[in-house]
Amino acid sequence: MDRHAVTPTSKSKLARAFANVLHIQGRNRRPKSLNNEDQKVKNYIQNEEALLGQLFANISAIKAAYALLQYAQSPYDPDFILSADEMIVSELKSLSELKQCYLKDQFDDRSPEITRVIAEIKEQKNILTTYEIMGNKLDSQLKLKDSEIIFLREKLDEANKENKLLEMKLSLIDNFHLSKLSINNFTLFFRKTIKSIWSFVSLFCKEMEYAEWDLDAAASSIQPDAIFSKPNDKYYAFESFVCQEMFDDFNDPSMTKQPDIFFNRFMELRSVIPADYLARKPKSTFARFCGAKYLKLINPKLEKSLFGNLDHRNLLMNSNEYPKTHFFYTFCEMAKHIWLLHCLAFSLSPEASVFQVRKGCRYSDVYMESVNGEEPFLMSNGSSETELRVGFTVIPGFRVGKSVVQCQVYLC
């Protein structure tokens, strides 16, 4: 039920009250000498009730026209909007005419009863029109929601298929043993590691933006001679910076080359939450790796600018506790993947060794994968004039015996 609707009973009471007020206020305008005063008052009240009915009809018409105007906004229909606007203007004019009739005591030529019935019919039609418009609008919204539901269901189905495929791939890691370990296992986990690196880099850049860093200038300081073809390509510079620090000393010759030790470390850490593991084993090899890499990656000046203090650094250097922040947790998740990749690399036989390509090297799709998308295939035609060169390495690659896991490079 429309909360603005007025029932016939309430309208009748309102009309009588309204008429009584008008009667009191209009005594001075009525003739003082009347032979049939009661009949005059009765006629006056009936005319006022009829006028009030017309007023209600006009208001309902304006409401219907306004509902039509709103409906025409979405989807945008200029002709529909113009028609609704003209209806509103017309009803406002009628309202103004009613006001003038009241002020001049000029009532409808028809009997008050007929005028009142016609006004009530008009009001009911307007109310019905308003409900129809609202119903059509709700139908449109329902169809839109149905379309969104269908789209989301399709996305859910795609996600479920991807999850099943991922589960099948992960079974290669969940069910393998050291004796069955292969480069395929390593490559699969390398792809997961890249995703964790990008998650941290995204958060890292957002924190820098919040701290009002000039990201373009910062990217240029990381890769001074790089020319980025797209504005967002500057984020590859930050990814290269993070990888440079995190993969540094990956093949430390001082590390004990015992595949079973590294494989056991991998199996121990692969399914745990990094923060929980650090809390349980604050002096473990992984804990020392996390602390050392954080302190190297986030120098004091950078940490101070990001957080306004050195609490992360002080906690890592002076206690066996670790920061309980979203930033550090995201860093630990990335560090965990790199550490596990490190363990897998030393579990292989022969072991995997990391490599990067120098700036200016010719692009080779055997050793490299371009982060520039399809540009290597679109730009290169085999001539020396269009020979593509490496601007910088974004993600390092790996050699495993005679096999290669491609590095990711940004081409200039």
Side-chain angles (χ1 to χ4, degrees):
M1 181 67 183
D2 189 346
R3 64 187 181 91
H4 296 296
V6 181
T7 62
T9 303
S10 63
K11 285 194 296 182
S12 178
K13 291 180 180 178
L14 183 61
R16 288 188 176 89
F18 184 54
N20 287 336
V21 173
L22 294 176
H23 173 61
I24 293 171
Q25 292 180 346
R27 284 176 180 172
N28 294 333
R29 291 183 294 167
R30 303 207 318 267
K32 294 182 179 179
S33 57
L34 292 174
N35 296 328
N36 194 348
E37 183 71 15
D38 291 340
Q39 184 62 38
K40 289 287 185 178
V41 170
K42 181 178 179 181
N43 292 340
Y44 189 79
I45 291 175
Q46 289 177 340
N47 285 329
E48 296 290 350
E49 287 180 345
L51 183 66
L52 193 59
Q54 290 177 301
L55 177 64
F56 286 138
N58 268 108
I59 293 174
S60 65
I62 293 173
K63 184 178 179 180
Y66 182 71
L68 185 64
L69 181 64
Q70 287 184 314
Y71 181 70
Q73 298 287 337
S74 179
Y76 186 79
D77 188 332
D79 295 333
F80 219 174
I81 291 175
L82 180 61
S83 176
D85 184 65
E86 289 175 349
M87 288 177 61
I88 293 175
V89 171
S90 175
E91 294 301 332
L92 288 174
K93 287 181 178 178
S94 297
L95 197 59
S96 177
E97 291 172 359
L98 280 177
K99 178 183 176 181
Q100 295 301 319
C101 289
Y102 166 71
L103 294 176
K104 297 177 180 179
D105 284 339
Q106 294 177 349
F107 298 105
D108 201 310
D109 293 337
R110 293 168 297 193
S111 67
E113 290 80 6
I114 295 176
T115 300
R116 187 170 61 251
V117 170
I118 292 174
E120 288 180 358
I121 293 173
K122 180 180 178 183
E123 181 183 2
Q124 294 302 317
K125 285 183 177 180
N126 291 331
I127 292 174
L128 181 60
T129 300
T130 302
Y131 285 146
E132 287 176 349
I133 294 170
M134 292 174 63
N136 292 334
K137 186 174 182 179
L138 291 173
D139 286 340
S140 299
Q141 292 176 346
L142 181 61
K143 290 178 181 178
L144 179 61
K145 292 296 181 184
D146 288 340
S147 300
E148 291 177 356
I149 290 172
I150 293 172
F151 173 75
L152 291 174
R153 282 177 177 169
E154 291 175 351
K155 296 293 290 184
L156 179 61
D157 290 340
E158 291 177 6
N160 288 334
K161 290 178 182 178
E162 291 179 359
N163 287 338
K164 289 181 180 179
L165 181 61
L166 183 59
E167 287 175 2
M168 293 175 62
K169 290 182 177 180
L170 287 176
S171 65
L172 294 173
I173 292 179
D174 291 336
N175 299 323
F176 75 81
H177 300 281
L178 179 59
S179 60
K180 298 180 180 179
L181 189 62
S182 69
I183 190 173
N184 290 333
N185 304 121
F186 183 84
T187 302
L188 175 61
F189 200 82
F190 177 58
R191 295 297 175 185
K192 290 184 64 179
T193 302
I194 291 174
K195 291 181 180 180
S196 71
I197 292 171
W198 182 244
S199 295
F200 173 74
V201 170
S202 298
L203 177 61
F204 182 37
C205 291
K206 286 180 182 178
E207 293 291 349
M208 293 181 71
E209 287 181 331
Y210 294 153
E212 299 183 351
W213 276 65
D214 185 339
L215 294 189
D216 292 318
S220 296
S221 68
I222 296 170
Q223 300 294 342
D225 300 321
I227 300 175
F228 301 107
S229 57
K230 301 174 184 176
N232 286 341
D233 285 359
K234 62 177 175 286
Y235 295 109
Y236 290 122
F238 295 99
E239 194 171 5
S240 71
F241 166 71
V242 170
C243 288
Q244 185 71 38
E245 298 296 340
M246 296 301 295
F247 284 94
D248 188 35
D249 297 329
F250 192 89
N251 292 116
D252 187 353
S254 65
M255 297 290 291
T256 303
K257 302 301 188 292
Q258 292 181 306
D260 56 333
I261 293 177
F262 285 100
F263 186 76
N264 290 336
R265 288 176 180 173
F266 174 86
M267 297 299 288
E268 178 187 13
L269 186 61
R270 67 192 176 99
S271 300
V272 303
I273 298 173
D276 295 342
Y277 188 87
L278 293 176
R280 293 198 320 266
K281 297 187 176 183
K283 295 184 179 181
S284 64
T285 307
F286 172 64
R288 292 198 300 270
F289 174 79
C290 270
K293 288 299 182 182
Y294 179 88
L295 294 174
K296 189 174 182 181
L297 181 65
I298 311 296
N299 62 55
K301 181 180 178 181
L302 178 56
E303 182 174 325
K304 179 76 172 178
S305 69
L306 293 180
F307 309 118
N309 54 58
L310 298 177
D311 290 353
H312 287 67
R313 181 171 228 84
N314 293 334
L315 200 61
L316 289 171
M317 295 177 66
N318 302 318
S319 71
N320 290 328
E321 297 183 9
Y322 292 85
K324 296 179 175 61
T325 64
H326 177 59
F327 183 84
F328 188 75
Y329 287 164
T330 307
F331 168 82
C332 286
E333 188 64 34
M334 174 189 67
K336 169 191 167 181
H337 280 83
I338 293 174
W339 175 254
L340 291 178
L341 191 71
H342 175 90
C343 293
L344 274 183
F346 285 153
S347 300
L348 290 169
S349 181
E351 67 187 41
S353 60
V354 69
F355 74 90
Q356 299 194 48
V357 292
R358 295 188 304 273
K359 172 187 173 182
C361 289
R362 185 175 61 184
Y363 176 77
S364 168
D365 57 9
V366 175
Y367 296 97
M368 308 170 203
E369 179 183 358
S370 170
V371 296
N372 300 59
E374 299 179 352
E375 291 182 23
F377 306 100
L378 297 174
M379 296 169 58
S380 179
N381 59 12
S383 67
S384 59
E385 293 181 356
T386 59
E387 197 171 71
L388 294 172
R389 298 285 175 174
V390 174
F392 56 89
T393 298
V394 181
I395 306 284
F398 294 87
R399 294 186 183 90
V400 184
K402 295 182 179 180
S403 301
V404 173
V405 179
Q406 296 168 308
C407 67
Q408 295 189 1
V409 297
Y410 188 82
L411 301 177
C412 294

